[in-house]
């Protein structure tokens, strides 16, 4: 059941209607847990057992770690990392198409299970739960509370990755009168608009970036498509996160903001405070800082940056392309670090625009490794960007359509928001209404969210 | 502003735009050809046009191989190419057969007979109600712009360019990478079962449409030499000729093969497509005079 299906709309409407009934107020958390299990099991019922193992196991280690943090916290973290590693990286060593992988039937069954949707996200929730709550040394939370934190359906599949210390205090009775309806509507409409109008339409064009289709492209179109993919992946993931935040608000939970106009960043470090903020915050809190952060000299800081970004790349998938993507981002962070102080002292509009352009172009070029997880294909695409095309029948792309479908991302980044919060405030509801109509009229062909695969 | 007022205004904004697009659809219909960003889009445009315009004399159905034979290459008036890039000739033939009026001649490509019929497409274009309820405003705007820039051309408008093109020497484009990959695919796939099923269905459809007065001719477009010898091409040829042994059922495509070039060993390049088109027209003219 994807966010863009009518079944999901009906599902949310039913749960929302039941959630605020006075008679069910004491069961609100249970209802959300049940709804989240239904949502998850609807697509992959065979993986509900895995979800249960992950949640019960984490809860058990949480209770034990609250008694003896030194021993049980590392064990709990290792338990989650093994789960993640098993499902995410097993395909490096086995061929799932073979009739029998091992002689032991239960292990054979496990090896053949598909990648559980959202595993990368709920494992990070589990680790955050273990670290945050044992650090605070509070009483163990209820099992249903833990369940809700880990599997709350708006964020279960692709985040935002919420930290336990942010989410757990929000678990309390909710009232309809407290729901910020307009704010929730704005998030949900914006999210669907970016997904259906921008991302799905751009996906029609960027599908030509796949191998071997990209060989039919002219050189300039290869360049164009990389930039379109940059807009697409932003619109897709920002759209998902916005819908999740809006849905969270409907049920009384405030999820963290995941994007803050990333393509206006003037440095790579700033980019990572604007793109997938919940992941970069998680990596900084639970990996970079424990590794020593910037506290042990300059070379150790560089090493830590490379380790964190390399692992961040591998978190997305077991492939050389993802590792390369992470390491290249790490390298860019290392290279810019000595220059940041000097650049910050020059406040000059042209220089700021130039820095923004450099960061945007580099980030965009690195998306090629995301779009083409096969490293050879990614290199082939990149090479073709710098060599003239000889194909006598190149694919035709409509530049005007590309521009019109990318426009919302550009307008959003140009910062017109204050205008609608000030002088044009009266026009705001009509603007959102037009976005709703446009996403219905101009929706591109259905495609799953890019981050579902992670 | 209260939440209810905000939501009402938001709904009003959406309604105004939807109503405007609804009126625009009634006023302009779907006559404006939407730009195709994918081959699927292109297919829908071609089929919608076929249903909207008067029934032509000659119709071609086929796969991406026939798709390369553009309508403006043909001097024959009233000819439509309904070949579906990525699709099956049977899909096109089913759609044509399901219409109330038939063309005089239906030319069916016999190169690719492994793909299943696109049932959704057949159903959609057999109902006839293809008019959308609303305009797609962005695509409509781009379509209007594109039509202004590149209005669709007729054979008369391009005849000089076509002549110049055929007078040029064959292309020296090095297609080895693509041709090797195509050959590998053509040798890997066994088309026998699917080709037999499709050949049988074509036979049934021929019987139906010829009973209603149309005439069906099969044709084979040339592949490059290595592809001609591949397992896929050889098996398909054998099956389809066994199913249709009568030479009168076939439209011969007689060309000097040394003049032909392929983008990938399978699909003709533009110059070769023009040459093949002219060869088909010559034999079609003979068939039409003999009757």
């Amino acid at each position: 059941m994807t966010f863009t299906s009518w079944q999901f709309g009906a599902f949310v409407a039913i749960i929302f209607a039941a959630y605020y009934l006075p008679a069910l107020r004491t069961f609100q958390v249970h209802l959300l847990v049940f709804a989240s299990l239904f949502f998850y099991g609807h697509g992959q019922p065979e993986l509900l057992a895995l979800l249960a193992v992950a949640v019960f196991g984490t809860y058990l280690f949480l209770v034990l770690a609250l008694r003896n943090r030194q021993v049980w916290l590392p064990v709990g973290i290792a338990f989650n990392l093994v789960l993640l590693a098993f499902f995410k990286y097993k395909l490096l060593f086995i061929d799932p198409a073979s009739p029998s992988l091992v002689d032991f039937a239960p292990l054979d069954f496990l090896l053949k299970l598909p990648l559980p949707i959202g595993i990368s996200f709920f494992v990070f929730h589990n680790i955050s739960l273990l670290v945050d709550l044992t650090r605070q040394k509070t009483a163990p939370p209820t099992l249903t509370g833990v369940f809700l934190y880990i599997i709350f359906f708006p964020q279960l599949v692709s985040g935002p990755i919420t930290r336990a210390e942010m989410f757990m205090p929000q678990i309390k009775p909710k009232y309809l009168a407290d729901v910020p309806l307009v704010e929730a509507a704005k998030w949900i409409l914006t999210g669907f608009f970016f997904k259906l109008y921008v991302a799905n339409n751009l996906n029609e064009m960027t599908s030509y970036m796949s191998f071997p289709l990209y060989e039919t492209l002219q050189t300039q179109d290869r360049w164009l498509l990389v930039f379109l993919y940059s807009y697409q992946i932003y619109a897709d993931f920002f759209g998902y996160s916005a819908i999740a935040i809006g849905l969270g608000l409907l049920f009384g939970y405030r999820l963290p903001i995941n994007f803050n106009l990333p393509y206006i960043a003037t440095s790579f470090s700033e980019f990572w405070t604007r793109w997938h903020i919940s992941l970069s915050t998680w990596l900084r809190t639970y990996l970079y800082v424990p590794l020593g952060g910037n506290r042990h000299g300059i070379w150790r800081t560089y090493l830590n940056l490379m380790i964190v970004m390399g692992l961040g790349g591998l978190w997305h998938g077991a492939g050389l392309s993802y590792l390369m993507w992470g390491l290249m981002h790490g390298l860019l962070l290392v290279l810019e670090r000595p220059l940041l102080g000097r650049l910050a002292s020059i406040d000059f509009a042209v220089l700021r625009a130039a820095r923004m352009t450099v960061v945007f172009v580099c980030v965009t070029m690195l998306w090629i490794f995301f779009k083409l997880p096969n490293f050879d294909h990614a290199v082939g695409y990149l090479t073709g960007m710098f060599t003239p095309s000889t194909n006598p029948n190149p694919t035709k792309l409509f530049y005007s359509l590309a521009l019109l479908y990318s426009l919302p991302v550009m307008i959003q980044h140009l910062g017109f928001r204050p205008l609608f919060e000030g002088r044009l405030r009266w026009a705001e509801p009509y603007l959102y209404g037009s976005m709703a109509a446009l996403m219905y009229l101009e929706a591109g062909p259905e495609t799953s969210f890019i981050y579902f695969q992670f | 502003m209260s939440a209810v007022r905000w939501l009402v205004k938001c709904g009003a904004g959406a309604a105004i735009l939807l109503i405007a697009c609804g009126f625009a659809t009634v006023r302009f219909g779907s006559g404006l050809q939407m730009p195709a960003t994918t081959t699927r889009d292109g297919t829908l445009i071609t089929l919608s046009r076929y249903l909207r315009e008067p029934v032509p004399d000659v119709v071609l159905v086929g796969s991406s191989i026939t798709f390369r034979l553009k309508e403006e290459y043909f001097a024959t008036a009233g000819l439509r190419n309904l070949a579906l890039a990525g699709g099956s000739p049977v899909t096109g033939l089913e759609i044509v057969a399901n219409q109330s009026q038939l063309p005089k001649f239906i030319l069916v490509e016999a190169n690719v007979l492994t793909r299943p019929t696109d049932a959704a497409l057949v159903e959609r274009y057999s109902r006839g109600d293809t008019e959308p309820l609303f305009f797609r405003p962005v695509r409509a705007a781009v379509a209007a712009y594109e039509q202004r820039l590149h209005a669709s051309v007729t054979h008369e408008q391009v005849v000089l360019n076509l002549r110049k093109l055929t007078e040029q020497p064959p292309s020296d484009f090095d297609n080895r990478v693509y041709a090797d990959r195509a050959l590998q695919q053509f040798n890997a796939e066994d088309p026998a079962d699917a080709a037999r099923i499709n050949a049988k269905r074509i036979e049934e459809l021929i019987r139906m449409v010829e009973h209603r007065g149309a005439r069906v001719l099969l044709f084979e477009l040339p592949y490059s030499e290595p592809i001609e010898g591949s397992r896929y091409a050889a098996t398909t040829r054998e099956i389809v000729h066994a199913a249709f042994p009568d030479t009168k059922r076939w439209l011969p495509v007689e060309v000097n093969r040394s003049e032909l070039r392929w983008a990938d060993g399978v699909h003709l390049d533009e110059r070769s497509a023009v040459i093949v088109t002219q060869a088909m027209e010559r034999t079609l003219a003979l068939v039409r005079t003999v009757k």
Side-chain angles (χ1 to χ4, degrees), chain A residues 413-454:
Chain A
H413 278 74
L414 286 174
F416 285 110
R417 198 185 174 87
L419 203 62
F420 283 97
E421 284 168 351
R423 219 152 33 94
L424 292 179
R425 195 179 179 80
W426 63 270
E428 192 194 62
Y430 300 107
L431 175 75
Y432 279 93
S434 308
M435 280 162 54
L438 209 52
M439 76 194 180
Y440 168 70
L441 293 166
E442 279 293 332
E446 176 73 27
T447 46
S448 39
F449 287 93
I450 294 172
Y451 262 69
F452 271 21
Q453 62 186 302
F454 305 132

Side-chain angles (χ1 to χ4, degrees), chain A residues 209 211 214-215 222 321 368-369 372 374-387:
Chain A
M209 284 177 78
F211 177 82
Y214 67 63
E215 288 176 350
R222 288 189 185 217
S321 270
I368 294 172
F369 294 101
L372 298 165
N374 181 312
F375 189 68
D376 292 337
H377 296 168
V379 171
Y381 190 96
L382 258 170
T383 313
M385 290 172 76
F386 298 95
T387 44

Side-chain angles (χ1 to χ4, degrees), chain A residues 440-441, chain B residues 21-34 44-53 99 123-136:
Chain A
Y440 168 70
L441 293 166
Chain B
C21 287
F23 273 123
T25 312
V26 175
R27 170 74 181 76
F28 301 109
S30 56
L32 209 55
Q33 274 191 34
M34 298 291 158
L44 301 187
I45 290 168
T46 313
L47 293 173
S48 296
R49 193 162 67 102
Y50 181 74
L51 262 59
R52 216 173 40 237
E53 293 182 359
Q99 305 308 313
E123 213 237 310
R124 177 173 172 179
Y125 284 95
S126 301
R127 282 200 313 261
D129 56 340
T130 54
E131 292 286 312
L133 195 59
F134 294 111
F135 243 14
R136 294 187 70 175

